[in-house]
Amino acid sequence: MSDFARAASPVAARRRTTGRGWTAAAWGALGILAVAVIWELYKFLGPADGVTIGATPGETGSGVMILPRTHDRAMPHIWTMVARLFEPTSGGATPPLVVTVAQAAVVTLGMAAVGWLIGVAVGMLLGLVMQRWKLLEWGLLPWIVVSQIVPLIAFAPVVNAIGNQIDRSGTPWPQWLSVAVIASYLAFFPVAIGVLRGLEAPDRIHVDLMRSYAAGYWATLFRLRLPASVPHLLPALRLAAANAVLGAVVAEVSIGMRGGIGRMLIQLAGQASSDPAAPWGPMFGSIVLGLIAAGSVALIGFGLKNYRRGEATA
Amino acid sequence: MSTAVVPGSRMPSWLRVVAPIVVGLLILAAWTLYVEFGDAPRMLPSPIAIGQEFVLRWGIIWDDMVVTASNALIGLTVGAILAVVLAGLAASAKPIDGMLAPLVAALAVIPIVAITPILNTMFGASSQFGRQAVATIAAFIPVFINVLRGLRQTRPVHRDVLRASAASGAQTFRMLTLPTAVPYLMTGLRVASSLAVIAALVAEYFGGPADGIGTSIATYAKSGRAALAWAYVGGGILIGLVFFLVTAFLERLVTRHAPG
Amino acid sequence: MTTATTTPASTLAVQATGVGKVFPTKAGDVTALTGVELEVRAGEFVSLIGPSGCGKSTLLRLIADLDEATTGELTIFGKPARRARIDQDYGIAFQQAGLLPWRTVAANIGLPLELHKVPKAQREARVAELAELVGLTEFIDRYPDQLSGGMQQRVAIARALAASPKLLLMDEPFGALDEMTREYLQGELTRIAAETGAAVVFVTHSIPEAVFLSDRVVVMSPRPGRITDVVETGLGSVRDESLRENPAYFEKVTAVREALHGAKVERANER
């Protein structure tokens, strides 16, 4: 079951070829450009009411729309979206949209970071104890896998309510902490699996070698298992960062917390019929947010590159 | 399956089945006790109350399960097909790989559900399309990454064997590249199945028609019918479990004689 | 079965004239092989021996058209190597058996035939025949992961023989096996080579193996890879276990060792 690492590491592997970094960036820019061109091209050529298949004539809302409507309210021009970023957020003397989006993104990023830290700590602990005691792995691992099927919106209100209880009872528990805890629910999973797989990654001969030195659990852990787990750990940490951002955005929406980017997105989407380009602001914001979160974790990888020498390239 | 030999401890294999059951019962017991005797918020009913609601309201829960499950299934299917096609293109043409790689890497780390409101504007609020599209993207990413990886996993000795047998490009693809990639496809599908369900469900929180598991959870949680909301959560878990078990089973079938 | 049988016996199985191979690397070009002159007669068993990096595997890959020679000319039964590969004039086996893990033994042996659209009935008959030849008839429905290393290698040899080639190329096929299995398969290989009348080019780094199997042992040396000596064994066509005790055999082992030693001393001086 090395499949989790299988699913997560190729991006990391590709990033290491720094010599070709610039060409890769150029190709990437070309890819983004291609998406933009397709958007505008479709907007220009496509029918205003979209393409619907299986519709009953005269009956609105029947059939399945497979291509979107192209009028300006549904699909704004890319330049409109960009221009909107520099117009006031909600008319009058309010700051430009881009500033508001950045502020909201910072709020969400902060909550995601705390959620990431909690998730990494919990995930590491779970991974360590599961590797140490096989019985715990057998007992816990199936539930850890199942836990990710439980939609986090289910217990988001519960966490929020418990947080309020604690807050009322005297210990301060701000609402953002609830969001962070909910975000950590998505973040801990890849770390727990990654640590477990990583700690079991050392070659048999290395484990035997440590045994022959009569090295105990802790010595084996620090000299062998932890260093050997790095190639599994880094993609797990990056995935955890992406999950923490997703968790924070969803948590904001489901407990109705103000100030973050998720809430802002919902709010502006509600006004989309009068201001269609506005929701694209927070959407771009959330893209940047995800990239920043994953990118900062990728930086950790540079510091640990000596532990990644044996890593297979995709 | 080898019997797990843990140095210093020899545990009977029945523990493998019993251990998770014991843990599950412990969780349920702790939960029940917390609700009955602890200071649990009203949002968290006891498992017994949830079970009762689940049985009682099975009819309406089932209807919403169908909505969410079919959105997830459409997303999983379309996403997987798209992923296989694009991964095939990326594996065969460097420029396409160069353009797709950073896009997919970016797509993998952005909160995709955030685009639901925008999709709803593009396709109309009465359409399930936004949810299906979000599920599609969620499913696409792990399948794409795994298949692309799998398509590059052919061993040099196998490539030499095929070349020495004067196999054509198409034959090499059919006899070597494809079979090598299939286990990776299945792994990708397994990861994608849970993601598609979660994405379809969470996307319902971001607007769209008033049906589906996610919408119901939100509605009943807001109106204070916590037990019913949680019964819907149970329905969501059931969908996820079915998706996961089916894909995990398929993966098992396929990886039997694969290396690694 | 294929066009290979129509080739006149007088034609050389392999003819290399001035063959060289240069690999471009980041640190500059590396000459893997230079000035190789080699002739392998039809039905002849020739071993290539030498230390790591002497280009013996490279030479085999050039003959198989798995890589292309940078200089010189290489013909197989009078045809360019590429043509010979497409016509399936040779069969090849590697150090790793290289069996496709999702195919049964039968499907692995039949792979080259399937690729060249041999009708199913004919294919099955041939696979049965080959399984018999390598002694794996009972294992025909097994998967590779259910076989020992020696058995996997026998499947690989059967696969190499599938198209009834008149030339067998083998790249350290017994290199990863234990000594007992190795000696057993060496005996089997001489028998199979004699039965099929195929010429064999055999890469190895084991002196006794080279002498036991070959009519001629080609000694190679590294930096740059080249042929330094050729030892005729003259041990006749009967290769059985008694040969391993034969003084003539020991003599040839010594001769090859000395030929290699020269190369070794020379290499030590280079450093």
Side-chain angles (χ1 to χ4, degrees):
Chain A
M1 247 179 87
S2 62
D3 40 50
F4 198 82
R6 221 191 253 173
S9 63
V11 187
R14 190 169 294 129
R15 191 154 298 166
R16 277 182 309 126
T17 47
T18 40
R20 282 172 285 167
W22 284 111
T23 19
W27 277 119
L30 206 63
I32 295 168
L33 197 68
V35 172
V37 168
I38 291 170
W39 176 272
E40 287 296 335
L41 210 62
Y42 173 71
K43 182 170 164 54
F44 181 68
L45 298 172
D49 285 322
V51 176
T52 307
I53 49 172
T56 326
E59 195 183 318
T60 45
S62 64
V64 180
M65 194 186 286
I66 54 160
L67 285 174
R69 301 180 283 203
T70 56
H71 54 73
D72 284 345
R73 255 182 301 130
M75 287 179 70
H77 283 291
I78 288 164
W79 49 88
T80 321
M81 301 174 198
V82 175
R84 182 65 186 85
L85 283 175
F86 300 98
E87 288 162 18
T89 306
S90 47
T94 49
L97 181 62
V98 64
V99 174
T100 324
V101 166
Q103 283 165 348
V106 168
V107 170
T108 304
L109 188 63
M111 295 187 294
V114 176
W116 183 78
L117 284 173
I118 301 172
V120 169
V122 172
M124 287 224 174
L125 193 67
L126 281 171
L128 278 168
V129 299
M130 285 196 293
Q131 194 275 322
R132 182 78 179 86
W133 293 286
K134 197 91 198 160
L135 190 61
L136 279 179
E137 179 187 337
W138 290 352
L140 292 177
L141 193 58
W143 293 107
I144 290 178
V145 173
V146 168
S147 77
Q148 296 304 297
I149 297 172
V150 181
L152 78 164
I153 49 175
F155 53 82
V158 177
V159 173
N160 191 35
I162 295 177
N164 289 342
Q165 269 179 10
I166 296 172
D167 195 43
R168 271 198 304 274
S169 72
T171 326
W173 183 284
Q175 203 174 23
W176 62 260
L177 197 52
S178 295
V179 173
V181 168
I182 299 163
S184 75
Y185 181 78
L186 287 188
F188 95 93
F189 175 71
V191 180
I193 304 288
V195 169
L196 178 60
R197 298 289 163 243
L199 294 178
E200 281 172 356
D203 289 335
R204 184 79 217 200
I205 50 159
H206 291 143
V207 177
D208 287 347
L209 191 66
M210 295 305 275
R211 266 177 85 77
S212 79
Y213 297 151
Y217 169 75
W218 293 104
T220 312
L221 180 69
F222 285 111
R223 302 291 162 124
L224 175 64
R225 292 196 185 274
L226 279 179
S229 73
V230 168
H232 290 258
L233 198 55
L234 288 175
L237 290 179
R238 202 179 47 247
L239 211 56
N243 282 359
V245 170
L246 172 66
V249 170
V250 174
E252 271 174 41
V253 174
S254 55
I255 70 174
M257 185 195 162
R258 286 168 195 286
I261 205 157
R263 177 76 190 194
M264 182 179 182
L265 185 68
I266 294 283
Q267 210 177 335
L268 290 183
Q271 307 157 10
S273 50
S274 59
D275 192 359
W280 287 89
M283 209 204 81
F284 291 139
S286 60
I287 292 178
V288 174
L289 193 58
L291 293 178
I292 288 176
S296 1
V297 175
L299 283 180
I300 301 174
F302 285 115
L304 294 171
K305 55 175 190 295
N306 268 347
Y307 295 100
R308 308 169 66 191
R309 288 183 174 274
E311 209 169 309
T313 358
Chain B
M1 283 284 118
S2 61
T3 40
V5 183
V6 188
S9 72
R10 214 147 277 138
M11 292 184 295
S13 57
W14 52 263
L15 271 175
R16 217 178 176 130
V17 183
V18 173
I21 296 173
V22 170
V23 171
L25 290 176
L26 281 176
I27 296 171
L28 274 183
W31 180 355
T32 315
L33 288 176
Y34 176 56
V35 174
E36 293 297 326
F37 304 107
D39 183 24
R42 222 169 35 79
M43 303 278 188
L44 189 70
S46 84
I48 300 157
I50 297 170
Q52 282 169 344
E53 282 285 359
F54 188 78
V55 175
L56 211 63
R57 312 280 173 177
W58 171 249
I60 52 166
I61 295 176
W62 171 254
D63 290 342
D64 284 308
M65 274 173 73
V66 170
V67 173
T68 303
S70 40
N71 284 346
L73 187 62
I74 291 169
L76 183 60
T77 315
V78 177
I81 292 172
L82 267 179
V84 170
V85 170
L86 287 180
L89 286 175
S92 55
K94 259 252 139 67
I96 297 177
D97 181 35
M99 274 157 71
L100 281 177
L103 286 183
V104 174
L107 210 55
V109 295
I110 62 173
I112 300 144
V113 286
I115 66 169
T116 321
I118 279 163
L119 288 171
N120 285 336
T121 337
M122 282 166 68
F123 288 90
S126 63
S127 161
Q128 296 282 357
F129 188 89
R131 297 162 179 181
Q132 290 160 358
V134 167
T136 301
I137 299 171
F140 168 84
I141 296 160
V143 178
F144 178 87
I145 291 176
N146 275 285
V147 171
L148 185 55
R149 194 147 212 242
L151 289 174
R152 291 175 172 156
Q153 293 298 312
T154 55
R155 289 170 53 200
V157 64
H158 288 151
R159 288 200 295 271
D160 283 348
V161 166
L162 270 289
R163 184 172 157 90
S165 307
S168 68
Q171 281 176 327
T172 307
F173 183 78
R174 189 160 53 84
M175 302 237 180
L176 177 61
T177 316
L178 202 59
T180 310
V182 164
Y184 288 82
L185 168 65
M186 288 306 167
T187 302
L189 274 182
R190 195 203 63 217
V191 177
S193 67
S194 310
L195 290 179
V197 174
I198 288 286
L201 202 154
V202 174
E204 291 170 12
Y205 257 61
F206 288 77
D211 54 8
I213 292 283
T215 315
S216 308
I217 296 173
T219 313
Y220 292 117
K222 258 179 220 135
S223 62
R225 300 182 65 181
L228 185 53
W230 276 92
Y232 269 98
V233 173
I237 295 172
L238 208 58
I239 301 171
L241 219 49
V242 168
F243 272 61
F244 176 80
L245 290 177
V246 169
T247 45
F249 174 72
L250 285 177
E251 187 189 16
R252 259 279 164 81
L253 267 187
V254 162
T255 46
R256 244 193 353 204
H257 290 291
Chain C
M1 180 149 287
T2 62
T3 49
T5 43
T6 59
T7 318
S10 60
T11 321
L12 289 167
V14 178
Q15 184 171 29
T17 352
V19 166
K21 175 72 184 171
V22 176
F23 288 108
T25 67
K26 267 180 228 155
D29 289 353
V30 173
T31 307
L33 215 52
T34 182
V36 170
E37 306 283 336
L38 178 68
E39 290 184 352
V40 178
R41 293 183 298 277
E44 192 185 17
F45 202 121
V46 172
S47 285
L48 308 179
I49 195 168
S52 310
C54 72
K56 52 191 192 298
S57 289
T58 306
L59 179 55
L60 195 84
R61 292 179 64 84
L62 295 183
I63 298 172
D65 186 43
L66 295 175
D67 286 319
E68 268 171 67
T70 321
T71 56
E73 206 188 339
L74 191 57
T75 58
I76 315 297
F77 297 111
K79 312 174 195 177
R82 185 179 147 71
R83 185 75 244 157
R85 175 173 65 83
I86 290 163
D87 290 350
Q88 288 292 280
D89 286 336
Y90 71 80
I92 192 164
F94 304 93
Q95 179 171 6
Q96 300 164 291
L99 305 179
L100 299 179
W102 51 85
R103 287 179 160 245
T104 60
V105 167
N108 264 295
I109 297 177
L111 178 72
L113 304 174
E114 206 178 317
L115 289 169
H116 296 283
K117 312 213 162 45
V118 174
K120 194 162 189 266
Q122 206 179 330
R123 201 166 73 211
E124 276 169 5
R126 178 70 182 147
V127 167
E129 199 179 308
L130 288 162
E132 174 84 50
L133 184 70
V134 296
L136 285 175
T137 306
E138 304 123 82
F139 298 96
I140 205 131
D141 292 323
R142 298 280 186 94
Y143 284 89
D145 59 280
Q146 299 167 314
L147 303 181
S148 69
M151 286 157 99
Q152 291 187 19
Q153 206 48 261
R154 279 192 273 164
V155 177
I157 293 171
R159 179 178 63 189
L161 292 167
S164 312
K166 286 289 152 203
L167 173 63
L168 255 185
L169 305 176
M170 309 189 98
D171 191 356
E172 296 188 38
F174 309 144
L177 304 177
D178 63 82
E179 192 65 22
M180 266 104 67
T181 314
R182 198 170 210 208
E183 287 193 354
Y184 169 71
L185 286 183
Q186 287 166 0
E188 289 292 289
L189 178 60
T190 52
R191 175 180 65 80
I192 290 166
E195 274 179 37
T196 56
V200 183
V201 179
F202 190 95
V203 169
T204 180
H205 49 227
S206 156
I207 301 171
E209 180 170 83
V211 174
F212 179 79
L213 292 171
S214 320
D215 298 316
R216 271 193 301 155
V217 178
V218 173
V219 179
M220 298 179 71
S221 141
R223 264 169 288 193
R226 64 198 184 278
I227 295 174
T228 46
D229 211 341
V230 177
V231 178
E232 293 265 359
T233 61
L235 294 174
S237 58
V238 182
R239 309 280 168 129
D240 52 20
E241 289 309 302
S242 66
L243 182 63
R244 295 190 200 275
E245 311 292 330
N246 190 327
Y249 166 75
F250 290 129
E251 212 171 278
K252 289 301 168 188
V253 167
T254 310
V256 172
R257 182 171 295 128
E258 275 166 3
L260 269 170
H261 221 76
K264 219 170 173 182
V265 170
E266 188 184 292
R267 191 175 56 158
N269 289 343
E270 263 177 42
R271 283 190 179 152

